[in-house]
Amino acid sequence: MSVYKMTIAGCPRELPICPINEHMDIAGFVMFGDVDVTEASARALMEKCPEHDVIVTAESKGIPLAYEMARIGCRSYVVARKGIKAYMEDPIHVEVKSITTDHVQKLYLSKADCESLRGKRILIVDDVISTGESLAAIEELLHSIGGQVVGRACVLAEGDARDREDIIYLEPLPLFFK
């Protein structure tokens, strides 16, 4: 398997090149299980991010980063879930289409999450931002409940996302066109 070599927050890594469709491949970045990259990325992003009251991420790959950033910073994070869970009273949702998913997904926040986020300064975090579809969906959800998004941060900005001035990121990640 081909790999893309890069350094992420001081940690050298080899990311596998994964096919997305007949026209494009991506470098697969998964923070799950990589404690060194998660901790180093969280510290590096915290130095670059604006003050915030709470961190929000989408289930699931951004969860380790959101947790670690909240642990060393604001001490609070919320996960927009991909499905309704039994504990979720009166959930609200938004639809999203991601570059790495072959179907439209929904992201949900419970009534309790909505109430806890209303009026708060929110930092949205994720592992990778590429098309910005997931980011836009979370932002739409947060605006609908009265949350104030103060920043958008990720470890890697893929493709056109690296040219966006509204995203804080550590490293650019190319797309591989065939």
Side-chain angles (χ1 to χ4, degrees), residues 22-61:
E22 63 274 5
H23 306 289
M24 182 175 59
D25 294 344
I26 63 169
F29 175 61
V30 180
M31 293 182 73
F32 290 134
D34 195 334
V35 175
D36 291 337
V37 165
T38 301
E39 289 180 345
S41 295
R43 282 191 305 272
L45 281 171
M46 288 298 288
E47 291 176 7
K48 299 173 86 170
C49 288
E51 285 193 32
H52 53 276
D53 302 312
V54 62
I55 291 170
V56 172
T57 194
E59 190 173 34
S60 65
K61 287 174 32 184

Short mmCIF file of all heavy atoms in Angstrom, two decimals, residues 22-61:
data_model
loop_
_atom_site.label_atom_id
_atom_site.label_comp_id
_atom_site.label_asym_id
_atom_site.label_seq_id
_atom_site.Cartn_x
_atom_site.Cartn_y
_atom_site.Cartn_z
N GLU A 22 -13.01 6.80 -8.61
CA GLU A 22 -12.12 6.54 -9.75
C GLU A 22 -11.24 7.73 -10.10
O GLU A 22 -10.27 7.60 -10.84
CB GLU A 22 -12.90 6.09 -10.98
CG GLU A 22 -13.88 7.10 -11.53
CD GLU A 22 -15.26 7.08 -10.85
OE1 GLU A 22 -15.45 6.32 -9.88
OE2 GLU A 22 -16.13 7.84 -11.29
N HIS A 23 -11.54 8.89 -9.52
CA HIS A 23 -10.78 10.11 -9.83
C HIS A 23 -9.85 10.59 -8.72
O HIS A 23 -9.00 11.44 -8.97
CB HIS A 23 -11.75 11.26 -10.18
CG HIS A 23 -12.71 10.92 -11.27
ND1 HIS A 23 -12.33 10.77 -12.58
CD2 HIS A 23 -14.03 10.68 -11.24
CE1 HIS A 23 -13.38 10.46 -13.31
NE2 HIS A 23 -14.43 10.40 -12.51
N MET A 24 -10.03 10.06 -7.50
CA MET A 24 -9.30 10.65 -6.39
C MET A 24 -9.01 9.64 -5.27
O MET A 24 -9.83 8.77 -4.99
CB MET A 24 -10.11 11.81 -5.81
CG MET A 24 -9.44 12.54 -4.68
SD MET A 24 -10.38 13.99 -4.12
CE MET A 24 -11.93 13.25 -3.63
N ASP A 25 -7.84 9.81 -4.66
CA ASP A 25 -7.45 9.10 -3.45
C ASP A 25 -7.20 10.14 -2.36
O ASP A 25 -6.96 11.31 -2.65
CB ASP A 25 -6.15 8.31 -3.66
CG ASP A 25 -6.28 7.18 -4.67
OD1 ASP A 25 -7.42 6.79 -4.99
OD2 ASP A 25 -5.22 6.71 -5.14
N ILE A 26 -7.25 9.68 -1.11
CA ILE A 26 -6.90 10.55 0.01
C ILE A 26 -5.88 9.83 0.89
O ILE A 26 -5.76 8.61 0.83
CB ILE A 26 -8.12 10.96 0.86
CG1 ILE A 26 -8.78 9.74 1.51
CG2 ILE A 26 -9.12 11.77 0.03
CD1 ILE A 26 -9.82 10.07 2.56
N ALA A 27 -5.19 10.59 1.71
CA ALA A 27 -4.32 10.01 2.73
C ALA A 27 -5.19 9.80 3.97
O ALA A 27 -5.79 10.74 4.49
CB ALA A 27 -3.16 10.94 3.03
N GLY A 28 -5.29 8.57 4.41
CA GLY A 28 -6.16 8.24 5.55
C GLY A 28 -5.52 8.62 6.87
O GLY A 28 -4.45 8.14 7.22
N PHE A 29 -6.19 9.50 7.59
CA PHE A 29 -5.71 9.94 8.91
C PHE A 29 -6.74 9.56 9.96
O PHE A 29 -7.87 10.03 9.92
CB PHE A 29 -5.49 11.46 8.90
CG PHE A 29 -5.11 12.02 10.25
CD1 PHE A 29 -3.96 11.61 10.89
CD2 PHE A 29 -5.91 12.97 10.87
CE1 PHE A 29 -3.60 12.13 12.13
CE2 PHE A 29 -5.57 13.49 12.10
CZ PHE A 29 -4.42 13.08 12.73
N VAL A 30 -6.34 8.71 10.89
CA VAL A 30 -7.23 8.27 11.96
C VAL A 30 -6.50 8.48 13.29
O VAL A 30 -5.46 7.87 13.54
CB VAL A 30 -7.63 6.79 11.79
CG1 VAL A 30 -8.55 6.35 12.91
CG2 VAL A 30 -8.28 6.57 10.42
N MET A 31 -7.08 9.34 14.14
CA MET A 31 -6.47 9.62 15.43
C MET A 31 -6.75 8.54 16.46
O MET A 31 -6.04 8.43 17.46
CB MET A 31 -6.96 10.97 15.98
CG MET A 31 -6.47 12.14 15.16
SD MET A 31 -6.98 13.73 15.80
CE MET A 31 -5.94 13.86 17.23
N PHE A 32 -7.79 7.73 16.25
CA PHE A 32 -8.12 6.68 17.21
C PHE A 32 -6.89 5.83 17.49
O PHE A 32 -6.25 5.32 16.58
CB PHE A 32 -9.23 5.76 16.67
CG PHE A 32 -10.57 6.40 16.60
CD1 PHE A 32 -11.35 6.24 15.48
CD2 PHE A 32 -11.09 7.15 17.66
CE1 PHE A 32 -12.61 6.81 15.39
CE2 PHE A 32 -12.34 7.72 17.59
CZ PHE A 32 -13.11 7.55 16.45
N GLY A 33 -6.54 5.70 18.75
CA GLY A 33 -5.42 4.87 19.15
C GLY A 33 -4.06 5.54 19.07
O GLY A 33 -3.08 4.98 19.56
N ASP A 34 -3.98 6.73 18.50
CA ASP A 34 -2.70 7.42 18.38
C ASP A 34 -2.63 8.53 19.44
O ASP A 34 -2.89 9.69 19.18
CB ASP A 34 -2.53 8.01 16.97
CG ASP A 34 -1.09 8.40 16.68
OD1 ASP A 34 -0.33 8.69 17.63
OD2 ASP A 34 -0.73 8.43 15.49
N VAL A 35 -2.30 8.13 20.65
CA VAL A 35 -2.28 9.04 21.79
C VAL A 35 -1.26 10.16 21.60
O VAL A 35 -1.53 11.32 21.91
CB VAL A 35 -2.03 8.27 23.10
CG1 VAL A 35 -1.89 9.21 24.29
CG2 VAL A 35 -3.15 7.27 23.35
N ASP A 36 -0.09 9.83 21.05
CA ASP A 36 0.95 10.85 20.87
C ASP A 36 0.47 11.97 19.94
O ASP A 36 0.61 13.15 20.25
CB ASP A 36 2.23 10.23 20.32
CG ASP A 36 2.93 9.34 21.34
OD1 ASP A 36 2.69 9.52 22.55
OD2 ASP A 36 3.69 8.46 20.92
N VAL A 37 -0.10 11.62 18.79
CA VAL A 37 -0.59 12.63 17.85
C VAL A 37 -1.77 13.40 18.45
O VAL A 37 -1.86 14.61 18.30
CB VAL A 37 -0.96 12.01 16.49
CG1 VAL A 37 -1.80 12.96 15.65
CG2 VAL A 37 0.30 11.65 15.72
N THR A 38 -2.66 12.69 19.14
CA THR A 38 -3.82 13.35 19.75
C THR A 38 -3.38 14.39 20.77
O THR A 38 -3.83 15.54 20.73
CB THR A 38 -4.75 12.32 20.41
OG1 THR A 38 -5.18 11.37 19.42
CG2 THR A 38 -5.96 12.99 21.02
N GLU A 39 -2.51 14.01 21.68
CA GLU A 39 -2.05 14.95 22.71
C GLU A 39 -1.26 16.11 22.12
O GLU A 39 -1.48 17.27 22.47
CB GLU A 39 -1.21 14.22 23.76
CG GLU A 39 -2.03 13.30 24.63
CD GLU A 39 -1.20 12.56 25.67
OE1 GLU A 39 0.06 12.53 25.56
OE2 GLU A 39 -1.80 12.01 26.60
N ALA A 40 -0.33 15.81 21.21
CA ALA A 40 0.50 16.86 20.62
C ALA A 40 -0.36 17.81 19.77
O ALA A 40 -0.16 19.04 19.81
CB ALA A 40 1.61 16.24 19.77
N SER A 41 -1.31 17.28 19.01
CA SER A 41 -2.18 18.11 18.18
C SER A 41 -3.07 19.00 19.05
O SER A 41 -3.27 20.17 18.73
CB SER A 41 -3.05 17.23 17.27
OG SER A 41 -2.25 16.53 16.35
N ALA A 42 -3.60 18.44 20.12
CA ALA A 42 -4.46 19.23 21.02
C ALA A 42 -3.68 20.40 21.61
O ALA A 42 -4.17 21.54 21.63
CB ALA A 42 -5.02 18.34 22.13
N ARG A 43 -2.48 20.15 22.08
CA ARG A 43 -1.65 21.23 22.65
C ARG A 43 -1.35 22.30 21.59
O ARG A 43 -1.47 23.50 21.85
CB ARG A 43 -0.33 20.67 23.20
CG ARG A 43 -0.46 19.98 24.54
CD ARG A 43 0.90 19.68 25.16
NE ARG A 43 1.77 18.91 24.29
CZ ARG A 43 1.81 17.58 24.23
NH1 ARG A 43 1.01 16.86 24.99
NH2 ARG A 43 2.64 16.96 23.41
N ALA A 44 -0.97 21.87 20.40
CA ALA A 44 -0.62 22.82 19.34
C ALA A 44 -1.83 23.63 18.91
O ALA A 44 -1.72 24.85 18.68
CB ALA A 44 -0.02 22.07 18.14
N LEU A 45 -3.00 23.01 18.79
CA LEU A 45 -4.20 23.75 18.40
C LEU A 45 -4.65 24.71 19.49
O LEU A 45 -5.09 25.83 19.20
CB LEU A 45 -5.34 22.79 18.04
CG LEU A 45 -5.25 22.16 16.66
CD1 LEU A 45 -6.29 21.06 16.50
CD2 LEU A 45 -5.40 23.21 15.56
N MET A 46 -4.54 24.30 20.74
CA MET A 46 -4.94 25.18 21.85
C MET A 46 -4.15 26.49 21.84
O MET A 46 -4.68 27.54 22.21
CB MET A 46 -4.81 24.48 23.19
CG MET A 46 -5.86 23.41 23.42
SD MET A 46 -7.55 24.04 23.45
CE MET A 46 -7.53 24.86 25.03
N GLU A 47 -2.91 26.43 21.39
CA GLU A 47 -2.08 27.65 21.32
C GLU A 47 -2.58 28.59 20.23
O GLU A 47 -2.31 29.79 20.28
CB GLU A 47 -0.62 27.27 21.04
CG GLU A 47 0.05 26.57 22.20
CD GLU A 47 1.46 26.12 21.87
OE1 GLU A 47 1.98 26.46 20.78
OE2 GLU A 47 2.04 25.40 22.71
N LYS A 48 -3.30 28.07 19.24
CA LYS A 48 -3.74 28.87 18.09
C LYS A 48 -5.21 29.28 18.15
O LYS A 48 -5.62 30.16 17.41
CB LYS A 48 -3.53 28.06 16.80
CG LYS A 48 -2.08 27.67 16.54
CD LYS A 48 -1.96 26.74 15.35
CE LYS A 48 -1.86 27.54 14.08
NZ LYS A 48 -1.50 26.76 12.90
N CYS A 49 -5.99 28.64 19.01
CA CYS A 49 -7.44 28.84 19.02
C CYS A 49 -7.87 30.00 19.91
O CYS A 49 -7.22 30.29 20.91
CB CYS A 49 -8.14 27.56 19.48
SG CYS A 49 -8.07 26.25 18.25
N PRO A 50 -9.01 30.64 19.56
CA PRO A 50 -9.54 31.72 20.38
C PRO A 50 -10.14 31.17 21.68
O PRO A 50 -10.39 29.97 21.80
CB PRO A 50 -10.63 32.33 19.50
CG PRO A 50 -11.07 31.20 18.63
CD PRO A 50 -9.83 30.38 18.38
N GLU A 51 -10.38 32.07 22.63
CA GLU A 51 -11.03 31.67 23.88
C GLU A 51 -12.42 31.14 23.57
O GLU A 51 -13.11 31.64 22.69
CB GLU A 51 -11.12 32.85 24.84
CG GLU A 51 -9.79 33.20 25.46
CD GLU A 51 -9.95 34.15 26.64
OE1 GLU A 51 -10.99 34.08 27.33
OE2 GLU A 51 -9.04 34.95 26.84
N HIS A 52 -12.81 30.12 24.32
CA HIS A 52 -14.11 29.48 24.10
C HIS A 52 -14.59 28.87 25.41
O HIS A 52 -13.81 28.65 26.33
CB HIS A 52 -13.99 28.41 23.01
CG HIS A 52 -12.89 27.42 23.26
ND1 HIS A 52 -11.58 27.66 22.90
CD2 HIS A 52 -12.90 26.22 23.87
CE1 HIS A 52 -10.83 26.64 23.27
NE2 HIS A 52 -11.61 25.75 23.86
N ASP A 53 -15.90 28.61 25.47
CA ASP A 53 -16.51 28.02 26.66
C ASP A 53 -16.68 26.51 26.52
O ASP A 53 -16.69 25.79 27.52
CB ASP A 53 -17.90 28.63 26.90
CG ASP A 53 -17.85 30.13 27.07
OD1 ASP A 53 -17.00 30.62 27.83
OD2 ASP A 53 -18.65 30.83 26.40
N VAL A 54 -16.84 26.06 25.29
CA VAL A 54 -17.13 24.64 25.05
C VAL A 54 -16.64 24.26 23.65
O VAL A 54 -16.60 25.10 22.75
CB VAL A 54 -18.64 24.34 25.23
CG1 VAL A 54 -19.48 25.11 24.24
CG2 VAL A 54 -18.95 22.86 25.17
N ILE A 55 -16.29 23.00 23.50
CA ILE A 55 -15.86 22.45 22.22
C ILE A 55 -16.96 21.53 21.70
O ILE A 55 -17.55 20.77 22.47
CB ILE A 55 -14.53 21.67 22.37
CG1 ILE A 55 -13.40 22.65 22.69
CG2 ILE A 55 -14.22 20.84 21.14
CD1 ILE A 55 -12.10 21.99 23.09
N VAL A 56 -17.22 21.60 20.40
CA VAL A 56 -18.19 20.70 19.77
C VAL A 56 -17.50 19.98 18.61
O VAL A 56 -16.75 20.60 17.85
CB VAL A 56 -19.43 21.47 19.25
CG1 VAL A 56 -20.35 20.56 18.43
CG2 VAL A 56 -20.20 22.08 20.41
N THR A 57 -17.77 18.70 18.50
CA THR A 57 -17.27 17.89 17.39
C THR A 57 -18.37 16.96 16.91
O THR A 57 -19.34 16.73 17.63
CB THR A 57 -16.01 17.08 17.78
OG1 THR A 57 -15.39 16.57 16.60
CG2 THR A 57 -16.33 15.93 18.72
N ALA A 58 -18.21 16.45 15.71
CA ALA A 58 -19.13 15.46 15.17
C ALA A 58 -18.61 14.07 15.50
O ALA A 58 -17.40 13.84 15.48
CB ALA A 58 -19.29 15.62 13.66
N GLU A 59 -19.51 13.16 15.78
CA GLU A 59 -19.15 11.78 15.97
C GLU A 59 -18.53 11.26 14.66
O GLU A 59 -19.05 11.57 13.60
CB GLU A 59 -20.43 10.98 16.30
CG GLU A 59 -20.18 9.58 16.76
CD GLU A 59 -21.49 8.91 17.22
OE1 GLU A 59 -22.56 9.18 16.66
OE2 GLU A 59 -21.39 8.10 18.15
N SER A 60 -17.41 10.63 14.59
CA SER A 60 -16.73 10.05 15.71
C SER A 60 -15.23 10.37 15.72
O SER A 60 -14.64 10.43 16.78
CB SER A 60 -16.95 8.54 15.71
OG SER A 60 -16.36 7.92 14.59
N LYS A 61 -14.63 10.61 14.56
CA LYS A 61 -13.17 10.72 14.53
C LYS A 61 -12.61 11.95 15.24
O LYS A 61 -11.44 11.96 15.61
CB LYS A 61 -12.66 10.64 13.09
CG LYS A 61 -12.77 9.23 12.53
CD LYS A 61 -12.41 9.07 11.07
CE LYS A 61 -11.38 9.98 10.54
NZ LYS A 61 -11.13 9.87 9.12
#
